[in-house]
Amino acid sequence: MFDLTGRKALITGATGGIGGAIARALHAQGATVTLSGTREEKLAGLAEALGDRAHIAAANLSDMEAVDALPGRAAEAMGGLDILVANAGVTRDNLMMRMKPEDFDAVIDVNLRATWRMAKACLRGMMKAKHGRIIGISSVVGATGNPGQTNYAASKAGMVGMIKSLGAEVASRGITANCIAPGFIATAMTDALTDEQKAAIDKTIPAGRMGSPEDIAAAAVYLASDEAAYVTGATLHVNGGMAMI
Amino acid sequence: MSDIAERVQKITVEHLDVDASKVEPKASFIDDLGADSLDIVELVMAFEEEFDIEIPDDAAETIQTVGDAIKFIEERKK
């Protein structure tokens, strides 16, 4: 099950903890991958570690021309594009009282606008192939809200609504569109927390621990697979029970 | 039937799985041939490839019948 041999996947934000784990997992299931991110050297290192079937396409997703071009670059490198994992995301946290409009726009641009534009750019090829998988990496805070993240939560909730609508539009063509909503995931960002802080967080999670990037990658493998053909418009919450929604 | 009309008919038959005799110039893709809005998008994509032309979105919206498609493509291919 979950064999992705012959499938071609573009993963954005592949230099991050979650994106890298998704890329490795899709690749391990047999997919050809194109890794995208802003740090070209790190992408090259990751591609080299994967070996065959790994391409890189550096791009800055706040540049909409680069966004529009990215799926085409990936398709050209791989000879097609079956799976889009829109994982790249940015935060600019602040209380709304202190948040600048530019901070709202910057987060919406990368997290939501770029996801919409990349998905749109993938559709033509997927419609012709009568097959496609669009996976948006949302967040638990898109459903629950979080102080300091009016911009980020809006972008992640927006992604859910967008993916549902898209899923409804293209379901009859063998294309699915789903979101994964990670909870608290241990990455480089959470390494900076003290043990006390980590323990306090773990207490709020019924599973008693933060998630790992691999927990998210497993969900991505499932949604990308043929076995998930009947799952569309869904948001798969992977959060250790932190929010049961 | 012109060459363009024949090719439009062939593509329409293939995409919508309808009888060729129904694909006449006055036939509406949606009302007479059972297409939905996504079928129209796919047909326009297929016409673009077959005839190596670009059909902008606002023009695509005016293509409602088989005849509309033939006329649009004939004008573009002049």
Side-chain angles (χ1 to χ4, degrees):
Chain A
M1 287 177 84
F2 314 127
D3 180 19
L4 299 176
T5 303
R7 297 300 189 201
K8 301 170 180 89
L10 167 63
I11 302 104
T12 67
T15 51
I18 292 174
I22 291 172
R24 281 191 296 276
L26 297 179
H27 187 267
Q29 296 305 114
T32 298
V33 295
T34 295
L35 314 169
S36 187
T38 49
R39 290 168 284 176
E40 187 145 12
E41 273 174 35
K42 197 157 182 211
L43 289 172
L46 185 55
E48 200 179 320
L50 291 177
D52 289 347
R53 297 182 280 111
H55 305 264
I56 64 169
N60 174 358
L61 298 189
S62 59
D63 170 358
M64 292 303 147
E65 272 181 36
V67 169
D68 291 341
L70 183 59
R73 288 168 64 200
E76 197 169 316
M78 298 188 289
L81 181 55
D82 305 288
I83 302 161
L84 169 67
V85 183
N87 166 70
V90 295
T91 56
R92 285 206 188 175
D93 297 355
N94 215 334
L95 294 174
M96 190 151 167
M97 296 280 290
R98 302 212 177 281
M99 188 180 287
K100 293 188 175 69
E102 302 89 90
D103 296 330
F104 182 83
D105 292 346
V107 168
I108 295 290
D109 272 355
V110 173
N111 299 7
L112 183 58
R113 199 184 306 277
T115 300
W116 185 90
R117 292 179 80 133
M118 281 190 296
K120 181 173 163 69
C122 291
L123 282 177
R124 196 182 179 103
M126 289 179 176
M127 294 259 291
K128 276 173 71 180
K130 301 257 187 285
H131 176 272
R133 296 283 183 269
I134 292 169
I135 302 170
I137 306 302
S138 180
S139 166
V140 64
V141 309
T144 63
N146 197 27
Q149 295 199 304
T150 48
N151 50 3
Y152 186 77
S155 73
K156 296 301 189 177
M159 185 191 277
V160 169
M162 186 262 282
I163 289 277
K164 286 180 181 178
S165 306
L166 171 58
E169 287 183 15
V170 296
S172 63
R173 301 305 193 271
I175 303 168
T176 69
N178 293 285
C179 284
I180 299 170
F184 230 119
I185 305 301
T187 61
M189 217 185 334
T190 54
D191 286 346
L193 300 173
T194 65
D195 286 349
E196 289 77 27
Q197 286 174 317
K198 284 182 195 168
I201 288 165
D202 289 351
K203 266 193 205 154
T204 66
I205 305 170
R209 65 169 178 91
M210 287 189 210
S212 68
E214 287 71 28
D215 290 323
I216 306 306
V221 165
Y222 170 63
L223 291 174
S225 72
D226 287 354
E227 283 78 3
Y230 202 55
V231 179
T232 195
T235 299
L236 186 44
H237 287 272
V238 183
N239 62 30
M242 186 180 144
M244 297 187 182
I245 36 187
Chain B
M1 203 186 282
S2 74
D3 168 58
I4 286 173
E6 258 177 55
R7 284 153 73 190
V8 166
Q9 185 190 51
K10 183 164 172 283
I11 288 168
T12 306
V13 166
E14 278 169 10
H15 274 264
L16 300 181
D17 198 20
V18 289
D19 199 279
S21 64
K22 283 188 168 175
V23 186
E24 49 188 4
K26 68 174 186 349
S28 155
F29 289 113
I30 290 175
D31 296 333
D32 301 319
L33 302 176
D36 63 20
S37 54
L38 197 58
D39 287 322
I40 303 274
V41 173
E42 283 189 318
L43 275 170
V44 166
M45 276 165 46
F47 293 148
E48 286 179 332
E49 268 170 37
E50 172 73 20
F51 297 102
D52 194 23
I53 54 171
E54 196 155 322
I55 305 178
D57 289 343
D58 53 348
E61 280 166 20
T62 67
I63 296 176
Q64 292 180 356
T65 66
V66 174
D68 291 340
I70 294 169
K71 190 163 159 257
F72 182 90
I73 296 161
E74 279 176 344
E75 279 169 12
R76 279 298 161 103
K77 293 304 272 184
K78 261 179 201 166

